[in-house]
Amino acid sequence: MTSPLLQTYARADISFEKGEGPWLFGRDGERYLDFGAGIAVNALGHAHPHLVKALTEQASKLWHTSNLYQIPEGERLAKRLVENTFADVVFFSNSGAEANEAAIKMARKHHASKGHPERFRIVTFEGAFHGRTLATIAAGGQAKYLEGFGPKVEGFDQVPFDDLEALKAAIGPETAALMIEPIQGEGGIRPVPNAFLRELRNLCDANGLLLIFDEIQTGVGRTGKLFAYEWTGVTPDIMTVAKGIGGGFPMGACLATAEAASGMTVGSHGTTFGGNPLAMAVGNAVLDVILEPGFLERVERMGLLLRQRLAELKDRHPAVIAEVRGSGLMMGLRTHVPNTDFIAAARAQKIILIAAGDNVTRLLPPLIVTDADVAEAMNRLDAACAAIEADLKATAQRGAAE
């Protein structure tokens, strides 16, 4: 049967009818352990009762009014984000790409409002992923996302990952900001060294630049802190958030200091759906859970447990797993076999994983996983590795026979 959907996704031949906690229930009658969390979106797992209650209660009252009017739940969520971060102001959007668009515009407008419209360029880093709009694919700079969409949007200069001298050389009189993910997600779960992030902060301060952190994948508890910048000793001027902040409901946010956002005056930016009552109700419910005393400490402990178990898995299967990467519950396995083969072998064992660059497979379990869930995941990954090893052995034997 030919699908009427635009064929821009290589979808796996599986669909799901419901979820519960870290589990997905397929229409094939099978139960799958979800260690992808909808690409780090379902931060509290599937059908979390507090989120379901918040959404259904709000849905019975009011869905949408637009930003022409006050939205009290949005005011409340913004206040909570400000109280728990470096930021002074928040702009709500519908996605991470839109949050990054807001950050890019904010950085440019900051300088233009101070009489320097020539300062519009933003330096980004190889391996980055900042979204799928024309501006954000230009910011990410990856050829596979840029191909066929005409001239690259002007204003982005890419430098190699963790190359301070190349970064210094790229900064010029037109530079407005530096933009970076504290841990590259799509790029292969590559943590940026804290010392390099500190150098970025110093360069921004010395050159009058804004520092933008893209925490769309690393934020909202994923690394064991509310946001990953808290581990680094570095505070950005602008930070983008999405994925986990809505717990599965489409939502993004751009956080900033008052100074960084000083150019964003009435009418300079907007959104029809961003900050709608449904999203705000769910966002507040997510923070209710994540800001509970002890929750983030538990995430940190589970992240350490997951790393230990993955290191043991690598030791048992060195022919399959080359490297363990990541932080908290944002882990990656670089494999000797194609990551697509590893993900397929894992799916055959009823565990869901996510591909990334540099031949890495991402493990992004919901933040509510238990010791038992991690143990179950390791059993299934162990079986997946064993199946791959058996295939490698059979292939080698056929080659020898020929």
Side-chain angles (χ1 to χ4, degrees):
M1 179 179 176
T2 302
S3 173
L5 293 171
L6 187 65
Q7 297 300 295
T8 55
Y9 299 107
R11 301 175 192 266
D13 188 19
I14 184 173
S15 62
F16 304 104
E17 60 181 353
K18 68 175 183 176
E20 183 178 323
W23 295 94
L24 281 167
F25 297 84
R27 295 182 183 276
D28 58 1
E30 298 287 351
R31 189 173 76 146
Y32 295 78
L33 185 56
D34 185 6
F35 266 47
I39 318 181
V41 167
N42 301 309
L44 300 179
H46 299 281
H48 190 286
H50 188 60
L51 272 61
V52 171
K53 182 174 184 287
L55 181 62
T56 53
E57 286 185 354
Q58 183 61 49
S60 70
K61 294 187 292 186
L62 185 67
W63 290 24
H64 178 78
T65 61
S66 88
N67 287 295
L68 296 174
Y69 309 99
Q70 300 290 325
I71 301 175
E73 280 294 286
E75 294 280 348
R76 176 170 176 252
L77 181 55
K79 184 173 185 290
R80 297 172 80 186
L81 289 170
V82 164
E83 288 173 348
N84 286 280
T85 68
F86 69 93
D88 299 309
V89 292
V90 182
F91 177 87
F92 289 116
S93 63
N94 308 291
S95 67
E98 290 178 45
N100 279 335
E101 285 274 351
I104 291 164
K105 290 177 70 174
M106 185 180 290
R108 292 180 172 190
K109 198 68 158 46
H110 170 82
H111 292 286
S113 69
K114 295 182 182 302
H116 295 285
E118 76 283 359
R119 301 190 73 173
F120 71 99
R121 305 192 71 83
I122 297 176
V123 180
T124 61
F125 297 83
E126 290 178 3
F129 182 81
H130 297 298
R132 297 276 196 156
T133 66
L134 288 173
T136 55
I137 60 174
Q142 296 191 45
K144 64 181 179 180
Y145 297 128
L146 288 163
E147 184 180 356
F149 294 112
K152 177 181 173 182
V153 172
E154 180 66 7
F156 299 96
D157 300 302
Q158 275 215 320
V159 297
F161 183 85
D162 195 20
D163 188 332
L164 184 60
E165 294 310 310
L167 173 59
K168 289 178 179 178
I171 294 172
E174 294 184 339
T175 306
L178 312 181
M179 185 175 188
I180 195 166
E181 302 156 275
I183 303 172
Q184 288 189 343
E186 177 81 13
I189 310 295
R190 294 200 296 175
V192 180
N194 289 346
F196 186 70
L197 293 175
R198 286 193 289 271
E199 290 290 350
L200 264 62
R201 180 71 271 174
N202 292 337
L203 284 170
C204 285
D205 293 342
N207 292 278
L209 312 177
L210 297 177
L211 180 59
I212 305 170
F213 274 10
D214 177 338
E215 289 231 32
I216 287 163
Q217 194 162 149
T218 57
V220 198
R222 179 58 52 184
T223 66
K225 297 284 189 186
L226 186 58
F227 293 103
Y229 81 84
E230 297 174 61
W231 294 108
T232 69
V234 176
T235 302
D237 302 295
I238 303 171
M239 180 174 72
T240 55
V241 187
K243 291 189 180 290
I245 196 170
F249 195 94
M251 180 181 166
C254 179
L255 283 64
T257 64
E259 174 61 20
S262 58
M264 302 298 279
T265 53
V266 172
S268 61
H269 193 50
T271 169
T272 297
F273 294 108
N276 69 76
L278 287 172
M280 299 298 93
V282 177
N284 273 304
V286 168
L287 283 194
D288 289 343
V289 177
I290 288 180
L291 294 179
E292 285 179 352
F295 184 89
L296 289 170
E297 289 79 6
R298 184 183 169 282
V299 172
E300 184 180 357
R301 183 182 71 79
M302 294 305 301
L304 290 172
L305 175 65
L306 180 60
R307 175 180 281 278
Q308 291 167 357
R309 295 296 179 264
L310 290 174
E312 293 166 3
L313 187 74
K314 174 183 177 294
D315 290 342
R316 288 196 301 274
H317 302 283
V320 178
I321 300 173
E323 183 185 357
V324 178
R325 301 176 174 177
S327 176
L329 292 176
M330 184 178 178
M331 299 302 297
L333 296 176
R334 188 170 63 83
T335 52
H336 294 295
V337 299
N339 61 357
T340 50
D341 292 351
F342 184 78
I343 289 167
R347 192 163 60 245
Q349 300 299 326
K350 307 300 185 289
I351 179 169
I352 303 296
L353 306 176
I354 305 291
D358 200 24
N359 202 44
V360 165
T361 296
R362 282 177 278 185
L363 290 87
L364 304 164
L367 307 184
I368 46 84
V369 289
T370 64
D371 293 47
D373 296 328
V374 171
E376 183 63 32
M378 293 308 108
N379 289 338
R380 295 178 186 225
L381 292 178
D382 198 50
C385 288
I388 291 170
E389 287 166 342
D391 287 344
L392 291 173
K393 183 177 180 181
T395 300
Q397 287 174 341
R398 284 196 299 271
E402 293 172 359

